[in-house]
Each structure stands twice: as structure tokens, then as C-alpha cells.
């Protein structure tokens, strides 16, 4: 229930940020500049039109708020404060960039909800512009509340897992079996279990890095490119090309990380994820990165990216980013297997 409540709180926070970003964009598109955001009587009409446009964008992007809420609420690993801040900034940018993004038809909010939102968020007349910025504060408080709820839920889940392990040991004792040997959580398990942990860590880490790279490249293309038509969005081929070029480098990093201690492996994965994001966001060509670029099965990556059609941006935002988060969380889980 705590995770469900946290998901609802996250959804509300993300929806507020979408409206704020969409209203600012609607005001700037009117050509009056930032002056239209000031609470003056002459700005009532343009701000009312901007609030209507923001409410429509908010209804169109219901799936974005829901996907973000589910991604954090159901995440197997703890999300840091920086991840919440990055997600909030990304969601606000999606609201701001909505007029230039491809259509998103799933989970469109009904018209009666749009009317209620228009009255609730856009009914401040000349203060609508300042409300767009003021809503960042309650959105931040909601994010902090959701983070606390998720932390409480994880603590309770950890305690329950400990109780289950203790009951299992008690059953072993009643059966005359010895207790399981102590495993140092700072080291990988020994023997075949430890080898399996390292292998699964490397595979999950590779999946996290490769999907993160594709998602970041597609978001950069959406932010920097010109897209006058739906066909101009392409089918995710730029991100697929990056995946093909750097999958070997990512695989090598994951294998090397699995040779370190569990803590060192997790640190290496986090550092590599930051490097991958910088690589994806940096406009090409990235000369130093070419030294580790070895294209592998480009046709396979291109074909898989093409399955999303012109909705590759939404697939990157709503599917690839959560998948990367979950894969990274699974890798971290395997590195802590000795303590479980």
C-alpha cells in the first residue's frame, strides 16, 4: 500500500510539473516574451488562453506522468534524490516541448478532467504565469513525500525478508540441518553461486547501459532537431547507431566491473552510466569516443529500433528509461546477494 500511495503522489507531482512547463511554453509562443507572465490586468486574456493550452497538453501527457510514477514506485532499488530531481526536470521539459513532440494517444485524460484542471490550475487569471512557477514548490514537496514513503516501504520489505530468512533457518534447525554459512556482504559469493552473481550482474548492467544510451540519444534528437512532420522524427536510428558502436565498450566495462568487489562494481556501473549519458547528450561527432567505437550488428539494432516507428521518442522516454533503471537495480541486487 505504501508503494501504491507513493505512486499516486508521484503522479500528482509530475502532472503539476507538466502543466507548469506547458503554460510557460504557451505564453512564450504567443510572442509577448516573459512579460506576459507578469500579473498585470492586460495579461488576463493571453494567460487564460495559455492555461487552456496547458490543460490540453496535460491531458495529452497523462501517460508520461503515469509512467514516471510507476517507474519509481515499482523500482526494485532505491532511487536517489538526484534521480527524482532529474525526473522532475525531464517531465517539466516534456510539458514545455509538447507542441513539437509526436502524438501520444494512449491514456488521454477525459474531457471532464480537462475542464476541472482548467478551473483548478488555470483559474488564477492574471496570476496564472506566477502560478506556473509557484507550483514547482508543492510538486517538490510531493516528490519528497513520495521518496519518504518509498523508503519506509523498502525498510518494511527488508525487515520482512529478514524475518523470512530467520524462519527458514529455524526450520532447518528443527530438521537437524546446519545453519547456512555466513557470507561477507563485501565480497561475492564463492563457487558457482558467486560466478552466477557476477554473470547476471554483467548482463543486467550491459542492458542498463545500452538502453540508457538509446534513450538519451533519442531525447537529445527530440530536443535539438527540427521536426516539421511526423516522418521527420525518424524511427530511432540514431540511438540504434550509438548502441551498435558502443555495445562492445559497455560490455567490456561490465565484465571488468564484475571482477571488482561488489561495492566497486556498483560504483563503476554508476560512473559508467554518467559517462553514457554525457556521450548520448553530446552532439556528434565525439572524437575521443571514437577510439572505443566498434560497430557490432548495426542491422539488428536498427531493426529493433524501427519496431517503434515514429514513436521511438516515446518508447525511449516511457519504456527504455524505466527498463534501464530496473536493469541497474537488478544488477545492484545481484551484487548484494551475499547479504541476503
Amino acid at each position: 500500500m505504501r508503494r501504491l500511495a507513493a505512486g499516486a503522489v508521484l503522479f500528482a507531482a509530475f502532472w503539476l510539473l507538466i502543466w507548469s512547463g506547458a503554460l510557460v511554453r504557451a505564453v512564450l509562443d504567443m510572442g509577448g516574451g516573459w512579460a506576459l507572465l507578469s500579473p498585470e490586468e492586460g495579461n488576463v486574456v493571453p494567460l487564460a488562453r495559455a492555461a487552456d493550452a496547458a490543460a490540453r497538453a496535460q491531458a495529452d501527457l497523462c501517460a508520461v506522468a503515469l509512467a514516471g510514477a510507476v517507474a519509481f514506485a515499482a523500482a526494485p532499488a532505491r532511487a536517489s534524490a538526484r534521480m527524482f530531481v532529474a525526473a522532475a526536470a525531464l517531465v517539466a521539459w516534456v510539458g514545455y516541448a509538447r507542441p513539437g513532440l509526436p502524438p501520444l494517444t494512449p491514456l488521454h485524460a477525459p474531457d471532464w478532467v480537462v475542464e476541472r484542471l482548467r478551473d483548478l490550475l488555470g483559474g488564477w487569471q492574471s496570476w496564472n504565469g506566477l502560478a506556473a512557477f509557484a507550483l514547482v514548490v508543492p510538486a517538490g514537496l510531493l516528490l519528497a513525500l513520495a521518496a519518504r514513503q518509498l523508503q519506509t516501504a523498502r525498510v518494511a520489505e527488508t525487515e520482512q525478508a529478514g524475518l523470512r530468512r530467520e524462519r527458514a533457518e529455524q526450520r532447518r534447525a528443527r530438521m537437524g540441518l546446519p545453519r547456512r554459512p555466513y557470507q561477507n556482504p563485501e565480497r561475492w559469493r564463492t563457487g558457482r553461486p558467486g560466478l552466477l552473481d557476477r554473470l547476471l550482474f554483467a548482463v543486467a548492467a550491459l542492458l542498463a547501459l545500452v538502453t540508457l544510451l538509446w534513450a538519451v540519444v533519442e531525447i537529445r534528437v527530440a530536443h535539438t532537431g527540427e521536426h516539421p512532420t511526423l516522418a521527420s522524427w525518424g524511427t530511432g536510428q540514431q540511438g540504434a547507431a550509438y548502441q551498435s558502436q558502443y555495445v562492445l565498450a559497455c560490455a567490456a566495462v561490465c565484465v571488468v566491473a564484475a571482477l571488482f568487489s561488489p561495492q566497486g562494481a556498483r560504483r563503476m556501473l554508476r560512473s559508467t552510466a554518467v559517462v553514457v549519458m554525457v556521450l548520448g547528450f553530446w552532439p556528434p561527432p565525439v572524437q575521443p569516443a571514437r577510439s572505443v567505437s566498434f560497430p557490432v550488428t548495426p542491422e539488428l539494432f536498427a531493426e529493433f529500433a524501427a519496431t517503434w516507428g515514429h514513436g521511438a521518442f516515446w518508447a525511449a522516454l516511457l519504456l527504455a528509461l524505466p527498463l534501464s533503471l530496473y536493469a541497474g537495480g537488478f544488477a545492484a541486487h545481484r551484487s548484494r546477494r551475499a547479504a541476503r
Side-chain angles (χ1 to χ4, degrees), residues 152-167:
T152 303
R154 291 190 182 93
V155 170
E157 291 165 359
T158 301
E159 291 176 351
Q160 289 298 319
L163 291 175
R164 288 194 297 269
R165 288 195 299 270
E166 186 60 31
R167 286 195 293 266

Side-chain angles (χ1 to χ4, degrees), residues 209-223:
L209 295 177
V210 170
T211 53
L212 178 63
L213 179 59
W214 184 72
V216 169
V217 171
E218 292 306 312
I219 292 173
R220 172 177 58 79
V221 170
H223 178 63

Side-chain angles (χ1 to χ4, degrees), residues 97-124:
R98 180 67 189 101
L101 297 178
L104 181 64
T105 53
L107 297 178
H108 188 282
D111 293 337
W112 67 269
V113 174
V114 177
E115 292 296 330
R116 299 291 181 179
L117 291 173
R118 183 181 291 112
D119 294 336
L120 175 64
L121 300 178
W124 303 97

Side-chain angles (χ1 to χ4, degrees), residues 53 68 78 84 152 259 316 326:
R78 185 184 69 86
F84 279 102
T152 303
L259 300 177
Y326 285 12

Side-chain angles (χ1 to χ4, degrees), residues 15-213:
W15 234 22
L16 289 177
L17 292 171
I18 287 174
W19 186 86
S20 297
L23 186 134
V24 172
R25 175 62 179 269
V27 169
L28 295 181
D29 285 346
M30 292 178 183
W34 294 98
L36 285 179
L37 293 172
S38 60
E40 298 177 2
E41 194 65 28
N43 293 336
V44 172
V45 174
L47 286 175
R49 291 200 302 267
D52 290 342
R56 290 192 298 271
Q58 190 180 32
D60 291 341
L61 298 175
C62 181
V64 175
L66 181 60
V70 172
F72 279 100
R78 185 184 69 86
S80 65
R82 286 173 293 186
M83 294 181 66
F84 279 102
V85 172
L90 181 61
V91 166
W93 171 80
V94 170
Y96 178 85
R98 180 67 189 101
L101 297 178
L104 181 64
T105 53
L107 297 178
H108 188 282
D111 293 337
W112 67 269
V113 174
V114 177
E115 292 296 330
R116 299 291 181 179
L117 291 173
R118 183 181 291 112
D119 294 336
L120 175 64
L121 300 178
W124 303 97
Q125 298 183 356
S126 61
W127 292 89
N128 280 343
L130 292 182
F133 294 99
L135 284 176
V136 174
V137 176
L141 294 176
L142 289 174
L143 289 175
L145 174 61
R148 180 174 296 182
Q149 289 176 321
L150 290 176
Q151 179 63 23
T152 303
R154 291 190 182 93
V155 170
E157 291 165 359
T158 301
E159 291 176 351
Q160 289 298 319
L163 291 175
R164 288 194 297 269
R165 288 195 299 270
E166 186 60 31
R167 286 195 293 266
E169 293 297 337
Q170 291 174 358
R171 287 194 298 268
R172 290 174 62 88
R174 287 195 296 266
M175 296 170 61
L177 299 175
R179 293 181 65 91
R180 290 187 176 90
Y182 170 77
Q183 292 281 348
N184 186 353
E186 299 299 324
R187 297 181 179 274
W188 297 97
R189 292 191 292 179
T190 57
R192 293 183 62 182
L195 181 61
L196 180 61
D197 288 340
R198 292 173 188 262
L199 177 61
L200 291 177
F201 170 87
V203 172
L206 177 60
L207 177 61
L209 295 177
V210 170
T211 53
L212 178 63
L213 179 59

Side-chain angles (χ1 to χ4, degrees), residues 184-189 198 201 257-268 331-332 334-338:
N184 186 353
E186 299 299 324
R187 297 181 179 274
W188 297 97
R189 292 191 292 179
R198 292 173 188 262
F201 170 87
L259 300 177
F260 286 88
S261 67
Q263 185 177 12
R266 292 192 296 270
R267 287 179 177 175
M268 194 168 183
R334 297 308 302 192
S335 70
R336 296 187 177 97
R337 191 68 177 176

